[in-house]
Amino acid sequence: GAMATALFAKGDYGAAAEAFERDAQREDEQQKDARRVASLYSNASAAYLMAHGEGKNARTKTKDENGQTQIADGEAAGWLPKALSAAERCISHDPEWTKGYFRRGEVFMGMCNYACAIDDYRKAMSTLESSQESDRELLEAKLHSAEDALHALADMKAIEEDLLGKKTDPSNPGESGKSVEELSMAAEDRDRDPETKLALERAAKDVASGQTDSALANLRHAL
């Protein structure tokens, strides 16, 4: 409704998302057009996702069940699960609509669940109507970004395993004769190494933001 749209325009994304959901629930109870209800849930999902993005680096005000103001950071506010729930409600009301799968794909990207994001972007492309062909280029770009992120994540895991293996390789003369406990301590020393830890943390952030080339560079630096 108008209130939800106004809140979104003001940048009050959490409140806007909740308002969109209330509008969707009311229209669903009144048995309004399924596409209209789905569009409201789509808007709610987008607003929750925006609230998550804003809240990661800022504190956010929310209302509890008693109407009391609560302040939490973006992660603690739980915007991503709410964004996912709204996207799934959008899909359930209109399974043939591209927007629902696109919204859920965006949420999965925020959750770093790249495999599910890829699946949803592909579903979104498969449900495009002839009048929506202009959206195909955007979806293809989103799909490629998710695929790159998934490959970078796999590379990151492989390099991490390689790092651990180099520190605890029994075939290494320096490692022979060591107990399991000593090998575990060696692995922990790897994790405590500040330079390695920093490189891995940077790589994880790069993967989450879709900067795959930078992620791989940071991972290789950790070797």
Side-chain angles (χ1 to χ4, degrees):
M3 181 181 293
T5 302
L7 288 167
F8 190 91
K10 285 170 53 181
D12 194 349
Y13 301 119
E18 291 168 352
F20 278 127
E21 280 211 287
R22 287 194 298 270
D23 290 340
Q25 291 164 0
R26 182 177 62 253
E27 296 209 9
D28 190 25
E29 289 170 359
Q30 296 172 357
Q31 298 183 333
K32 294 290 183 69
D33 178 68
R35 175 64 58 87
R36 168 64 180 165
V37 176
S39 69
L40 289 168
Y41 278 120
S42 171
N43 291 344
S45 180
Y48 278 131
L49 197 56
M50 291 292 289
H52 170 75
E54 291 283 306
K56 283 194 294 185
N57 299 311
R59 296 178 71 79
T60 306
K61 291 183 179 180
T62 59
K63 296 284 187 179
D64 64 18
E65 59 184 9
N66 297 318
Q68 298 297 312
T69 299
Q70 301 292 322
I71 300 177
D73 62 34
E75 297 296 336
W79 297 127
L80 282 178
K82 292 178 180 179
L84 179 59
S85 176
E88 290 178 338
R89 286 177 182 272
C90 173
I91 293 169
S92 69
H93 279 82
D94 197 343
E96 301 302 317
W97 194 31
T98 298
K99 187 65 71 69
Y101 299 107
F102 172 76
R103 290 291 183 221
R104 193 169 66 180
E106 292 289 272
V107 177
F108 281 136
M109 284 296 288
M111 293 177 164
C112 299
N113 189 339
Y114 304 120
C116 286
I118 288 168
D119 187 48
D120 272 335
Y121 288 143
R122 286 175 176 163
K123 287 178 180 176
M125 292 176 68
S126 71
T127 57
L128 278 174
E129 300 173 0
S130 57
S131 60
Q132 297 176 299
E133 283 302 309
S134 60
D135 295 330
R136 186 172 295 278
E137 186 174 340
L138 170 63
L139 287 170
E140 287 176 345
K142 292 285 186 179
L143 176 60
H144 292 155
S145 178
E147 289 173 338
D148 287 345
L150 183 63
H151 294 154
L153 184 62
D155 288 341
M156 183 172 73
K157 289 180 178 179
I159 292 175
E160 282 190 289
E161 289 173 1
D162 188 44
L163 281 169
L164 180 61
K166 286 186 176 182
K167 295 291 184 179
T168 60
D169 184 1
S171 65
N172 187 326
E175 299 288 346
S176 60
K178 289 187 177 181
S179 67
V180 172
E181 182 179 353
E182 288 172 323
L183 292 175
S184 296
M185 289 177 66
E188 289 175 4
D189 287 339
R190 181 286 311 266
D191 291 334
R192 284 194 294 266
D193 178 68
E195 187 175 352
T196 298
K197 184 177 181 180
L198 181 60
L200 292 174
E201 288 176 350
R202 285 174 176 169
K205 290 179 180 178
D206 288 337
V207 170
S209 61
Q211 300 179 51
T212 53
D213 290 341
S214 179
L216 290 173
N218 275 305
L219 287 170
R220 293 187 181 105
H221 180 69
L223 286 172

